[in-house]
Amino acid sequence: MKKQKKKVSYQTEEQKEMIHFLIVLGVIIVFVVGVYIFSKMFILDKSLFEVNYTTGAINSERAVVGTIFNRPEKDYYVMVYDESSNQAVYYSALSSNYVKKQDGALPVYHVDLNHKWNQSYYVGKDGQSNSKATKVSELKFKDLTLIKISNGKISKYLEDEESIKKELAVTKEK
């Protein structure tokens, strides 16, 4: 008979603690994954591998100055004003009344001069605006401006409230 050699291995206390820690950690990870799978499949009644995508909504009534000339319609209005001003609700109501009450109304886009991307185009109440602009870099606006765009070019440029009311066919009701 052959003599069998006994292999004796010694473990230090630190090694025993490390093995014990890894076993406990593994059991906790298996438990958490099990609870997650159970909740996904049975409690929430959703498939484990189902992915939901949320599509963003684009506000088609708002525009940035850089997109004024390239909207999808052939003819449309762009109303430019500071939406944080006291008159902002009134200006918005003017365009809303036009769109709701006018047959064959053109779309009206709004540009907020207070928005960080539009502030460089604002010249203030006493500044010099540019009604003859042919490209975005040439645009300059005062407090309130209504622009009619036809075929990607400015066809009307109105800056006073009365002419804007007349253009949008808004009259005071008595």
Side-chain angles (χ1 to χ4, degrees), residues 61-77:
E61 293 180 358
R62 300 283 177 239
V64 179
V65 172
T67 64
I68 285 179
F69 291 118
N70 60 359
R71 304 311 297 179
E73 296 82 12
K74 181 180 174 185
D75 296 315
Y76 54 92
Y77 287 109

Side-chain angles (χ1 to χ4, degrees), residues 4-10:
Q4 292 182 351
K5 291 184 180 180
K6 287 186 178 179
K7 189 174 184 181
V8 179
S9 65
Y10 296 98

